[in-house]
Amino acid sequence: MTGISPADVVRRQYLASANGDLEALRATLADDVEWTEMAGFPLAGTYRTPEGVTSAVMEQLGKDWDDWIAHDDTYVVDGENVVVLARYTATNKSTRKDIDVRVAHHFVVRGGRIVRFEQFVDTAKVRDAMSA
């Protein structure tokens, strides 16, 4: 994937996620990726390897939420850094409560692959939707 812009790599990741295409999503991630979900988020922690990220994050979100989508709205690009202002929408499977919460994602892209990801989100809104 070299030669593709960092923003295009990140966009492919969002499209793969929205389509539930974990193989295509993994193809956007470097073998040594570091993917960090924010402290306070239900899946908080740092995950490594493309398989580790999809099994610990995307597959888990699919178990707890219906229609989990990260809507990528605005891209701010500075070299290999891509910051995306976005929002999550989903319905919690247990409580049937919906979320519509703003987020920011920081990606670092090198050699056509995502090498680092950090999530910023209002974790209280996500946890509220998980509480009966």
Side-chain angles (χ1 to χ4, degrees), residues 94-120:
S94 297
T95 66
R96 303 309 307 158
K97 292 181 183 177
D98 295 329
I99 60 165
D100 186 342
V101 61
R102 293 293 290 165
V103 300
H105 293 153
H106 175 217
F107 296 87
V108 177
V109 180
R110 288 190 196 119
R113 300 258 197 265
I114 296 165
V115 296
R116 197 162 48 246
F117 166 87
E118 187 175 5
Q119 171 203 56
F120 301 89

Side-chain angles (χ1 to χ4, degrees), residues 68-89:
W68 182 277
I69 299 176
H71 306 267
D72 51 330
D73 299 329
T74 303
Y75 284 65
V76 180
V77 181
D78 181 16
E80 64 186 16
N81 292 282
V82 180
V83 174
V84 180
L85 305 179
R87 63 187 172 90
Y88 293 148
T89 58

